[in-house]
Amino acid sequence: MVDTLPRDWRRSGRFAPSPTGPLHAGSLVAALASWLDTRASGGRWLVRIEDVDRPRCIPGADHHILAQLAACGLRPDAPPVWQSTRGAAYAEALDRLRQAGLAYPCGCSRRDITLALAAQGAAHQRFDDLVYPGTCRDGLHGKSARAIRLRSVVDGAEVVIDWCDRRLGAQRQNLAREVGDFVLLRADGLWAYQLAVVVDDAAQGITDVVRGEDLADNTARQIHLQRTLGLARPRYLHTPLVRGADGHKLSKQNGAQALDLSDPLAALAAAARVLGLPAIAAATTGDWLAQAVGAWPPRWHDAAPVEPR
Ligand code: GLU
């Protein structure tokens, strides 16, 4: 697909916010980094509104985010794409995986999974997820299908993904042991982030995924999906996080304020500090951004997590 794009679009980056609230200082870092990375390579920059998790979306947050980006001078090179319009593409991908025997229906509730893990003497949990013990891999055992999962053991071998992050370096994840077979279509009928993001990165011809470090752990799952669907693997760069006063990643849950865009230059300067870019003196956002492109890529070892203003 990339080869059919105009020459200066050989590289494409994207910012993919979930419209669960307005941009905050942390999300601007990811947006700015992907914009700078794309501009520095002469590529095109796209925005995708990741609104598959409908219950978590806030009405109007999508347009608010686009206006916040525009106030910072970050305008996409093509109209944004909303994932809520992309169900047919996700269904087609899921169908291919099921036909190939790589995805299967699962009838387990969270309680079933907890009990199965306890029976194995294991309490595998990473973040909020339980490592799926594979109960329905060989059939539903009389239960009704709730979700669809992707296999993390293929042809008898555990899937191990090696990948290299442009900032974090070499990474490895044994999907079978650390994640288990993961959900593509949720029990509530919603598409899972992993499937939607992989199908859309490919459809938009994304060559460079630049996003916050909190998402790095998803990358192995996404690479496994790209392989099983026969899609190209983009390059990955995970940016430093902005930490709240409690030391955790800044998020709406720990009180991240919506960006104060009464002074977009100050907001851009704060994001640039997180990225380890040198201070830039400019009168307009356009001038500031042009200079920042010249300073990209930053020397990552200079970038320390900082607290928001
Ligand atoms: N929609 C995701 C988020 O806002 C980002 C997905 C991505 O960049 O891959 O956290």
Side-chain angles (χ1 to χ4, degrees), residues 96-118:
R96 277 169 51 205
L97 294 169
R98 291 194 69 177
Q99 301 283 335
L102 290 162
Y104 64 87
C106 169
C108 296
S109 63
R110 194 176 166 86
R111 184 176 148 74
D112 294 333
I113 297 172
T114 310
L115 290 175
L117 287 171

Side-chain angles (χ1 to χ4, degrees), residues 114 137 216 260 286 288 305:
T114 310
R137 254 180 213 160
D260 172 9
W288 189 96

Side-chain angles (χ1 to χ4, degrees), residues 14 16-18 50 193 197 209 211 215 222:
R14 56 34 164 210
S18 303
E50 299 212 322
Y193 157 66
V197 80
V209 170
R211 59 187 177 191
L215 292 164
Q222 293 171 14

